[in-house]
Structures are given as structure tokens and as C-alpha cells.
Amino acid sequence: MPGTTVRQTVLTRAKRIVVKIGTSAITDEAGRLDPRAVKRLAGQIADVTASGVSVTLVASGAIGAGMGELDLPERPRTLPMLQAVAAVGQGQLMRAFHDALVKRNLRVAQVLLTRGDFEDRTRYLNIRNTLRALHEMGALPILNENDAVAVDELRFGDNDIIAAHVTNMQAADVLVLLSTIDGVYDGDTLLDVIERVDGETLSLATGAKSRLGSGGMGSKLTAAGMVTRAGEAAVIANAHIPNVLKKLLAGENIGTVFVPAKRKLSSRRRWIGQTARTAGQIIVDAGAVAALTKRGKSLLPSGIRLVRGTFEKGATVAVLDETGAEIARGLTNYSAEQLQAIRGLKTSQIAKALGDKPYDEAIHRNNMTLST
Ligand code: GLU
């Protein structure tokens, strides 16, 4: 699908969008929050909102703003210092957006999240409800990672990925990643469109991180891949282009657009496939791989070769082929211990091995999301 088609069929018709702004796009050379940059973006968000599009903003820059507020010459290195600086800066960030938007009669709402808030199904649904209620009352949700509390495995560390989860959570039509780059380059050529994010696309990521933000091109491509696999569009564009948001939604040919998959994944499948934390791995044989990927079948114990990890019934597990490539993720009907006992067995042999056979399938098709 050519870029123009995505722009005309998805971007110009978008009703719900998620905009992610990177740190370097709203801070100045010295790393301080740049009120003019905030004002420019806020003005566009107000215009777009007034035209009937519902916007969720994921704003980085808490650490940058905190550095400015505290007069720090450089970014601290230790985690507690970074957390403290983010705590100082987050308020500044919100104030800047508040001051810029109150004049346009838009209220702002701060939502700070950690990885666990997405991985826990109940908290995930709570966030979705809160965002819906905020949009209903006409307030702009402004999201960021809860840097003051998130450490190590609790942490995404990257707002591109948070923005992708939030796009999928709300089934927003487009994820707009705004930073200080024009889009994805292949050598010197700015790509108009990327049809599909795969390993080759990810190798386009230079790895070079911008000086202040923590998300390089790799995380942007990963985020775009998460969104397009769920059936929504993504675009990477330069925040410094005047009226970039309005231009994108008018279908103008700027940035790099990503083509959504033909079929939209259901909300539950998005969560199973991309958001839930996996508690273990099931390695399956070639027959099971074909049944899952080509014939749309459930996973039966007969195709299971190995089980890794300790998990209970109902846990999210990754299904891998024998080379270690991930095929799918799903909710298991049996614990790791039970699967160990029934792996490789025919359906008719399960009851004898376990003393009971509550399910034919190890993972039912309805509880499974293919990974590619
Ligand atoms: N949460 C960080 C901040 O507000 C930014 C993370 C990122 O740049 O992706 O400073």
C-alpha cells in the first residue's frame, strides 16, 4: 500500500490519535524545557481537538525539565538522582502544558504509569476506562512513565513503547511519533512508507540515540511495529515542521508512515500478544507450528516438545519453534508441571496422565495471538 493511500485513508479520517513527543523536541540546546516548543505543540493539539479528533499525549521531558529547574549542567547518572530530577521536572512539564492549553479552554490530566500497570489486566482496563472518561469530559490526558517509582524490571524506560501500548489499548487510529528527525532514512533517502516492520526494517535503526531522549530509532520502529500488527497506523515525523500535526492529519506528505495490518486484532488479543508479561515458554514441533500459523488451530499437548519456567494455569506464555523463534503468545490451560506430564501425548492419553482432562488444548485459539 503506498504512503499516499495510508495518509488519505487512515490519517485524514482519524478520529482518535496518540501523539508522543520526545524530550529533544520540547527542550532547548541546554536541555531546559522550551516553553515555545510546548506552546507550538499545545496549539496544534487544541486545533486538532477542536476539529473533533480525540488526542492522548505521551510527553517525555520530565528529566530534561528537572535538569533545567535544578540548574544541572548535565544529566545525572545514578538512578535515584534521575528519579528525583524527573519528580522535579514532571510538575514543570505539566505546568507548561497547562499554561499553554488553559487559554484554549482545554484542561490537562496527568497520568503516570509503570510497566506493571500495563501487565496487570485489571489495572490495564482501569487505565483504559480513565482515559475514556477524560476524553468524555474533554480533558487532554498527558502520559509519562512514573519515573520516580519505576526501576529496573518495573520500567519501560522508553515512551515510544508506552505510546504504542496506549495506542493499542484505546484502538486509536494513528500513533504519531514526533521527534527531531524527519522520519526513517535508508542511507540518504527519507522513506515515505514502510509496509511492514520486520527484522530488516529494524536493521535500519541506526542505534544512535539523540542526546537527551532515551528512545532512538530502534524503539520507534518497534513501537510502529506493535501498532501496525494490531491493525492501526503509525507515523514518524519531525516536531519542528510548523503545524506538523495538522499537516499529517490533512494527509500531507511528511514523515514516514507505517501501513496497518489488514485485520485489526481484538483488544484482548492485543493485550495477550504484546502487553502481558510472559511467565514461561513452550517449545513446539514443526507440526504444531504449521497448525498454529497456517491452519488457525489451537495448541495441543501432542505438539509440545519442551516447557520452560514455572507457571500456573491461566498464565501468559510464549510459544517458540525449535529454533527458538517466537510463534505466538497465549493463556495456558495447564500449569507448567501439568504440561511437563502431558507434553507429546495424544488427547486420549491426557486423562490417564493427569487423572483428569479438563481441556483438550494446552492453549485455546481464542486465547492466543500470533507473533508475526
Ligand atoms: N520518562 C522520561 C522523561 O520524561 C523520558 C523517557 C523517554 O525519553 O522515552 O524524561
Side-chain angles (χ1 to χ4, degrees):
M1 193 191 280
T4 334
T5 314
V6 185
R7 293 170 202 279
Q8 293 306 327
T9 57
V10 187
L11 270 60
T12 62
R13 294 187 199 155
K15 283 276 153 254
R16 243 196 313 259
I17 65 170
V18 173
V19 178
K20 185 261 174 176
I21 183 87
T23 300
S24 51
I26 47 170
T27 49
D28 62 20
E29 287 288 289
R32 288 166 192 269
L33 197 62
D34 178 357
R36 285 166 314 169
V38 171
K39 220 179 269 170
R40 277 196 300 270
L41 177 64
Q44 294 181 64
I45 290 176
D47 290 346
V48 165
T49 305
S51 76
V53 176
S54 116
V55 182
T56 300
L57 177 65
V58 179
S60 302
I63 293 176
M67 282 163 58
E69 179 71 4
L70 295 163
D71 256 328
L72 301 181
E74 60 185 56
R75 191 182 165 96
R77 284 173 220 281
T78 68
L79 195 53
M81 278 299 283
L82 283 168
Q83 293 183 293
V85 174
V88 171
Q90 181 62 32
Q92 302 297 319
L93 191 60
M94 288 307 294
R95 190 176 69 174
F97 278 104
H98 170 273
D99 291 354
L101 283 164
V102 73
K103 300 182 191 113
R104 300 289 306 267
N105 209 20
L106 251 187
R107 298 292 175 268
V108 293
Q110 170 180 268
V111 183
L112 299 179
L113 302 159
T114 62
R115 185 183 276 270
D117 297 324
F118 289 87
E119 289 173 351
D120 181 285
R121 180 80 182 149
T122 309
R123 272 145 74 188
Y124 180 86
L125 296 175
N126 287 341
I127 299 166
R128 194 170 74 184
N129 289 337
T130 305
L131 295 178
R132 194 174 289 156
L134 284 167
H135 284 130
E136 270 166 25
M137 66 172 62
L140 170 73
I142 303 184
L143 280 55
N144 194 0
E145 183 144 39
N146 194 348
D147 291 313
V149 306
V151 291
D152 299 338
E153 77 281 359
L154 285 176
R155 195 174 159 74
F156 282 109
D158 195 313
N159 278 347
D160 295 325
I161 305 301
I162 291 186
H165 283 299
V166 169
T167 304
N168 286 345
M169 164 192 274
Q170 301 187 91
D173 308 293
V174 190
L175 166 61
V176 183
L177 296 167
L178 295 179
S179 70
T180 48
I181 40 167
D182 290 327
V184 185
Y185 280 90
D186 188 358
D188 290 337
T189 315
L190 176 64
L191 300 178
D192 168 47
V193 61
I194 291 182
E195 300 276 344
R196 199 182 132 85
V197 179
D198 50 23
E200 203 184 319
T201 327
L202 289 170
S203 73
L204 289 175
T206 56
K209 293 183 174 183
S210 51
R211 194 166 59 92
L212 292 167
S214 55
M217 186 49 88
S219 69
K220 287 184 180 35
L221 292 175
T222 304
M226 288 166 63
V227 164
T228 49
R229 266 201 301 287
E232 317 296 356
V235 54
I236 297 178
N238 196 329
H240 291 146
I241 296 174
N243 281 322
V244 63
L245 201 51
K246 288 159 74 182
K247 286 179 179 161
L248 283 170
L249 296 185
E252 282 191 34
N253 193 3
I254 42 180
T256 302
V257 287
F258 295 78
V259 181
K262 286 204 185 70
R263 277 190 55 189
K264 282 193 197 286
L265 281 184
S266 71
S267 157
R268 194 160 162 283
R269 281 220 161 95
R270 292 175 187 210
W271 183 79
I272 292 171
Q274 302 193 347
T275 309
R277 172 172 291 220
T278 54
Q281 297 176 333
I282 296 178
I283 291 90
V284 300
D285 64 19
V289 171
L292 264 51
T293 58
K294 299 212 167 67
R295 298 200 297 280
K297 300 279 191 198
S298 296
L299 176 66
L300 299 178
S302 60
I304 299 179
R305 304 292 296 257
L306 283 171
V307 179
R308 289 201 194 116
T310 313
F311 50 83
E312 293 305 316
K313 168 187 172 182
T316 308
V317 294
V319 180
L320 313 181
D321 69 13
E322 290 184 273
T323 70
E326 186 178 295
I327 305 300
R329 290 184 181 193
L331 309 181
T332 171
N333 281 336
Y334 290 103
S335 69
E337 203 180 334
Q338 290 172 317
L339 289 176
Q340 291 290 6
I342 59 175
R343 70 190 162 98
L345 297 188
K346 293 206 183 74
T347 306
S348 60
Q349 299 172 305
I350 299 175
K352 191 158 175 259
L354 293 182
D356 185 17
K357 190 198 65 170
Y359 306 96
D360 286 355
E361 311 84 13
I363 301 177
H364 193 278
R365 188 71 197 177
N366 293 345
N367 296 328
M368 187 190 296
T369 308
L370 294 182
S371 302
T372 46

